[in-house]
Amino acid sequence: MDVLPTIWFVAIALLWVGYLILEGFDLGVGMHLLFSSKSDRERRLMLNTIGPVWDGNQVWLITAGAATFAAFPLWYASLFSALYLPLVFVLLGLIFRAVAIEYRGKGSTDRWRRWWDRALGFGSLVAAFGVGAALAVSTLGLPLNENGDREGGAFAWLSWPAVLGGLAVVGFALVQGAAYLALKTDGDVRHRMRRFVTHRAPIALLPIVAWVLVVQFLYGDLLSWMLVVVAVVAVLLSWLFARAGREGRSFAAMSVFLGAGAGALFSAVYPVVLPSTLDPAWNLTISNASSGDYTLTVMTVVTAIGLPLVLAYQAWSIRVFSKRLSEDHIPSAHEIIPAVLRAGGGKSEDAAGVSGR
């Protein structure tokens, strides 16, 4: 058994699970800005729930990509070069999200805020779809030749597994975002998001259920099927807790559903890290795609020291900002004149902004 490559396969799977749970809710909140809010004040409330944590959540994506590059360079090279086009759109979506969050409060007109809300919402949608597509082809395959290179043109990745995976992560993010907003807010937004979980989750989660079942019927084993059972129980509990108004437990159960479902996917395909749809003999596995033992040993030591610190910081930041927010906590919009313009006198009126998020 390849011990170190197996350890790093599990570690990368856990990094993706952490990313999908944490970034899943703030991507979902971004998408809910497009259609689940009734006023600018509600959109500011939603934005404030993810304001302290959204950028920290993205660390998990960067870490998952970096760990794949270091531990399985052939997996990284084949996947990222084959998905160059969709990953560019993911990057643009993440850039739009970040810029929208930072610049939304820098202008004073409804049009300014409306366009940045759209940038945040569609950026979240594109990022979620692209990440889902990349993960789906990692489990269901790409047209790879014997060298691990993609056969076909720039759109060879655009297959039904990629679309299914994209819809799966978008649907999950919407439900996770609604569960998070129900947990973090009070008033109308809380009740509306709770109804979204109880009424829309059975439909929104259909793509991720279909993805997991397809992989299980193709590659599943006893362990992966046991994880599927855990996922089913967790999602039912999440729905029941949401109906009972126990938003914290509903969000936690939804996170368990994602963790068990993703675990079932990675467990089923192990030891393959990137299947070839042209010939199973050309699959990339933990053996033929991994780095040497020295590299993996150094990575393991560094991770054993650094990972607890990252987890402790993330837990601390979530605890500090755990209080519910309501529209009463959101101050009225007011003009902000940058200090550099206050010093300049008369130009300040033209450059006035409105307080933020």
Side-chain angles (χ1 to χ4, degrees), residues 8 38 58 89 168 174 185 198 241 244 268 283 289 291 308 312 333 339 348:
W8 274 98
K38 295 182 177 178
Q58 294 190 357
F89 286 110
L174 283 171
T185 63
T198 56
F241 285 137
N283 289 345
S291 298
S348 60

Side-chain angles (χ1 to χ4, degrees), residues 11 81 84 126 154 190 244 278 312 316 337:
S81 60
Y84 185 80
V126 170
R190 175 186 179 183
L278 302 179
W316 174 81
I337 302 172

Side-chain angles (χ1 to χ4, degrees), residues 65-73 76 290-291 295-296 299:
T68 305
F69 170 75
F72 299 99
Y76 179 92
S290 69
S291 298
T295 300
L296 296 179
M299 290 175 61

